[in-house]
Amino acid sequence: MRPVTEKPHAPTAPEAPAAQLARTAARLGGYALASRLLGLLRDMCMAWLVGSGPTADALAAALRLPHALRRLLGEGSLSMSLTAALVRHCRPDTAAGRSYLAQVGRALAVRLGAALALLLLLAVAAAPWLATGLAPGFAGPERELAVFLLRLCLPYGLAACMAALGTALLHSLGLFRLPGLSPVLFNVVALAFAGAAALGLCPPAPALTLGMSCAGLAQWALLWWGARRALRRPGPTGASLGGAAAALSETVVAAAARSAPAPAPVSAAGAAAWRCLAGTPAGLLGACAPQFCLLAAAALASGLGAGLGAGLYYAERLLEVPLGLVGACLGTASLPALSRLAAQGRQADFAAALRTALRLTLLLSLPAVAGLWAVGAPLVRALFCHGAFDAQAAQTAWLMLAGFLPALPALACNRSLLAACNALGQERRTALSALAAVASTLAVGAALVHSRGAGLLPLAFVPPLAAGVGLWLQTGFLLRALAVALGRAGAANAGAVAVSACLPGWAAVLRHGLAALVTGLAARGLVLLTEGWPPGSGLAVAVSGGAVAWVMGLLLLRDGDMLALAAHLRGRGVLDSVRETRGTAPRR
């Protein structure tokens, strides 16, 4: 097993874009996987404790705003924007810059904390109106319960923003391990409150909402402890990094350091803090589209019948697992390289890097769609159908999940497209794409609700399908913004690149689609063959069989990424066997 602290590697030949992105995303995905699994366990506890019905609907409505903030802030949108600003203004790769970064960080904490505390007080006072906006179909005791639960979990918004600032400070120093592990702490604290509710120490719904606020405060405390400790250390932090984390740090620092001014006097730290905050709203609004579309879908679900709001909540939780492992990790891994290449005017390399990120996203997201279609229904029953969560609630959650599946590739690809547009300075167009996505979600949702009398669709399909249409529309807007930005950049540098050069080739998309189809058919066949088995055994067989079918399909189709991975694994196997023969194999 590798030690925690590694010595810096000697310079080597540049790694291929696909290998570098895959390696970086795998590192980040390891942290995300642990967090998602614990989050799934937390949601299983919620389903067991409150099940489905008016109480579950009120709880899901109250948790929707904190979850939207967690996806927006905890998954890197705010922290990446702040990281770029901090590196540009503070130059933390120098000793003076590290000292100035500590001053700007304190100034940011004071200003951001004061503004957020004021917003929190206003939100607590306006909780009845917020609950109406989140769930306009609620009335009577259900609405009162939603207002009470919303007030309990609103402090999470303050904690999430401050935690994002701590993440930005650590990222600007080139430290990625603690921000990656902090969501694990969040889920552990939330599970502790769920355990208290299961033991009868407190009512389930208030315990779960209060647990979210306390978990956010714990995450904030951990990140700020790490940031303060890192800023006290003298000298650059590069020696404490290894592998992909070092590559990410070096690309971010190098891209900004070339054009950054020398650190300003201490008295200018406050002005620098305001400059860092000024550039974040436009980028955040563009990244808000998935959260706003899901909020619009939840508003539609609240007026369609009891149990649909909770079903939508559980479907989203299942959808977060592949999204966190594919879209968020690849978007985070590709942003530094895209920003560096855009700043240098290397349009061809920029297009190649984005094409690699999108190709890897489709490579992983398409089999996730097929696999969830094949095993979704038994997966929902196995995970959630316990205690107060009955078979009807499981069927509703499965229908909601099935309605979300067509939007999964758009959700995953939009992270890399947003990174590319922001790298090219297209924040205004990304913000407009978010507004268009939300407007289309509401319009399509209203049309589908109106058509339900004709029996065209089950009610549970309406909210997720409407959100999917909005997200695919945002994909189109982002591609249009990318085409405009590339055209302008090419005209300025006499090297225009078409937007088609940024997209994966049709042959690769066809290979990935065929492999995903084989995956879905194999997993579905195994689900039918293992019907009647214990739920865990049948699911394990179906998931394993689908994964094997996906790998074999890609190998038979001679997919370049899968062949490169197979060659890499074979090379490592040969190297390890040689080391074992010589008695120098590394300890595992």
Side-chain angles (χ1 to χ4, degrees), residues 34-36 38-39 42-43 63 66-67 69-71 74 153 155-157 159-160 163 178-194 208-220 222-223 313 317 320:
S35 172
R36 300 293 172 165
L38 286 173
R42 185 192 71 232
D43 296 325
L63 292 176
H67 274 300
L69 290 172
R70 179 179 60 80
R71 284 192 294 266
C153 61
Y156 174 75
L178 197 61
L181 291 174
S182 65
V184 176
L185 174 65
F186 172 89
N187 285 308
V188 168
V189 175
L191 281 170
F193 278 81
L208 292 170
T209 49
L210 188 60
M212 169 160 274
S213 292
C214 292
L217 292 171
Q219 189 178 12
W220 172 17
L222 175 68
L223 289 168
Y313 174 87
R317 301 286 77 74
E320 279 188 359

Side-chain angles (χ1 to χ4, degrees), residues 383-472:
L383 293 178
F384 300 128
C385 202
H386 307 285
F389 199 89
D390 56 17
Q392 180 60 40
Q395 179 66 15
T396 300
W398 155 237
L399 290 175
M400 291 281 192
L401 178 62
F404 271 129
L405 291 182
L408 179 56
L411 271 167
C413 289
N414 282 359
R415 288 285 296 190
S416 295
L417 290 174
L418 281 168
C421 289
N422 289 334
L424 292 170
Q426 294 295 303
E427 290 87 354
R428 185 177 65 86
R429 290 181 181 271
T430 61
L432 292 176
S433 75
L435 297 177
V438 176
S440 62
T441 297
L442 293 172
V444 172
L448 291 175
V449 168
H450 180 73
S451 68
R452 75 181 191 272
L456 298 178
L457 291 171
L459 285 180
F461 266 93
V462 171
L465 281 181
V469 172
L471 292 168
W472 276 111

Side-chain angles (χ1 to χ4, degrees), residues 557-580:
L557 292 169
R558 309 295 296 171
D559 180 74
D561 294 311
M562 185 56 67
L563 291 174
L565 176 61
H568 175 70
L569 293 176
R570 283 198 304 269
R572 292 195 62 171
V574 171
L575 182 59
D576 289 345
S577 64
V578 171
R579 286 173 173 170
E580 289 172 5

Side-chain angles (χ1 to χ4, degrees), residues 104-213:
V104 175
R106 285 192 291 270
L108 273 171
V110 171
R111 287 155 177 76
L112 190 60
L116 291 171
L118 178 60
L119 287 176
L120 174 60
L121 293 176
L122 293 175
V124 169
W129 293 276
L130 288 175
T132 301
L134 292 169
F138 285 0
E142 190 176 20
R143 180 176 180 274
E144 294 177 3
L145 179 60
V147 171
F148 171 68
L149 297 177
L150 181 60
R151 282 177 170 149
L152 286 180
C153 61
L154 275 175
Y156 174 75
L158 169 65
C161 288
M162 298 304 291
L165 177 56
T167 299
L169 289 169
L170 288 168
H171 281 179
S172 65
L173 293 170
L175 300 172
F176 292 83
R177 183 172 288 111
L178 197 61
L181 291 174
S182 65
V184 176
L185 174 65
F186 172 89
N187 285 308
V188 168
V189 175
L191 281 170
F193 278 81
L199 294 174
L201 301 179
C202 50
L208 292 170
T209 49
L210 188 60
M212 169 160 274
S213 292

